[in-house]
């Protein structure tokens, strides 16, 4: 009787462990799919792939401009803010080009180097932009990214999804997938050893 109870408990434990492993594999697969349709297209779409050194030529704050968001956005999402324009000397080619914060900044407003997020406190937005402008004037040289193919003549300060960020995004689903596969393999080994022991 005790032996039957032990065998039953062992089978229940193996079933739960197997379900856990399969669940981890399924979740990691869904995470791979989600990353593949969200982050990977933005990474492959970016043409600013080569890092170089930029030197600030001028950083000016123009009059307030409207922040145009994507098409179909509501009017209340459009707000005025000071337009910061940063021009740099591209070391790789020696050209004078405009600097943008990220790829998204160029798409949201190609006239400004920095586009703030939606904020109802205009004083904070103005103070932040003035701080950014003063930092550019203070730190004249810094790394930036440009398009080696020449499709885009401007440069960006940082990439939304750099290679390290992409690898980090794939790290957790990979660990989960590996852990799930390891649990499944251990359960199968345990079942095989149990059947072999019973047969002997």
């Amino acid at each position: 009787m005790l032996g039957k109870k032990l065998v039953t408990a062992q089978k229940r434990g193996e079933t739960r462990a197997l379900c856990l492993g399969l669940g981890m594999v399924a979740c990691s697969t869904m995470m791979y799919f989600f990353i593949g349709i969200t982050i990977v297209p933005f990474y492959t779409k970016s043409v600013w792939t080569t890092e170089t050194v930029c030197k600030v030529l001028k950083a000016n704050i123009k009059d307030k401009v409207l922040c145009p968001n994507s098409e179909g956005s509501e009017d209340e999402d459009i707000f005025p803010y000071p337009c910061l324009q940063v021009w740099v000397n591209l070391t790789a080619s020696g050209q004078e080009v405009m600097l943008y914060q990220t790829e998204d900044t160029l798409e949201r407003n190609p006239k400004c180097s920095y586009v703030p997020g939606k904020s109802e406190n205009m004083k904070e937005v103005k103070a932040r932009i003035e701080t950014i402008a003063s930092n550019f004037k203070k730190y004249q040289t810094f790394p930036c990214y440009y398009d080696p193919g020449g499709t885009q003549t401007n440069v960006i300060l940082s990439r939304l999804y750099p290679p390290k960020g992409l690898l980090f995004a794939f790290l957790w689903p990979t660990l989960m997938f590996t852990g799930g596969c390891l649990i499944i393999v251990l359960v199968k080994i345990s079942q095989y050893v149990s059947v072999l022991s019973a047969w002997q």
Side-chain angles (χ1 to χ4, degrees):
M1 183 65 70
L2 182 60
K4 290 183 179 180
K5 290 183 177 180
L6 289 175
V7 171
T8 303
Q10 182 181 3
K11 288 183 177 180
R12 288 178 180 175
E14 290 176 350
T15 302
R16 292 175 181 175
L18 190 62
C19 290
L20 175 62
L22 292 175
M24 291 174 67
V25 171
C27 288
S28 61
T29 304
M30 292 177 61
M31 291 175 67
Y32 278 128
F33 176 76
F34 180 76
I35 294 172
I37 63 175
T38 55
I39 298 179
V40 174
F42 284 105
Y43 175 79
T44 56
K45 182 181 176 182
S46 178
V47 295
W48 296 270
T49 55
T50 306
E51 184 176 352
T52 185
V53 177
C54 289
K55 184 177 181 180
V56 176
L57 296 176
K58 53 185 176 181
N60 301 325
I61 299 178
K62 302 293 184 179
D63 295 333
K64 289 185 177 180
V65 297
L66 292 178
C67 174
N69 290 338
S70 58
E71 295 181 0
S73 61
E74 300 179 358
D75 292 338
E76 61 185 22
D77 291 336
I78 300 177
F79 61 95
Y81 62 93
C83 181
L84 172 64
Q85 293 182 345
V86 180
W87 292 88
V88 298
N89 183 17
L90 186 60
T91 304
S93 61
Q95 295 178 332
E96 181 180 341
V97 296
M98 190 168 177
L99 174 74
Y100 295 94
Q101 183 184 13
T102 61
E103 301 95 329
D104 184 59
T105 307
L106 179 61
E107 293 182 2
R108 293 180 63 186
N109 191 351
K111 295 181 180 180
C112 303
S113 299
Y114 173 78
V115 177
K118 183 180 178 183
S119 175
E120 301 195 0
N121 191 341
M122 290 296 104
K123 291 183 178 179
E124 292 183 1
V125 173
K126 183 179 179 181
R128 190 183 313 121
I129 292 177
E130 290 178 351
T131 302
I132 294 173
S134 62
N135 286 337
F136 275 120
K137 294 177 181 178
K138 182 178 180 181
Y139 303 100
Q140 292 284 316
T141 305
F142 51 87
C144 59
Y145 295 90
Y146 75 101
D147 175 19
T151 306
Q152 294 287 344
T153 56
N154 41 58
V155 295
I156 60 173
L157 181 62
S158 59
R159 300 181 65 182
L160 283 175
Y161 301 105
K164 291 182 179 180
L166 190 66
L167 291 176
F168 184 77
F170 278 106
L171 174 63
W172 296 112
T174 301
L175 291 176
M176 184 180 293
F177 182 82
T178 305
C181 291
L182 184 61
I183 291 175
I184 294 174
V185 170
L186 291 176
V187 170
K188 292 300 181 181
I189 292 175
S190 175
Q191 291 176 346
Y192 174 77
V193 171
S194 298
V195 172
L196 187 63
S197 299
W199 182 77
Q200 290 178 350

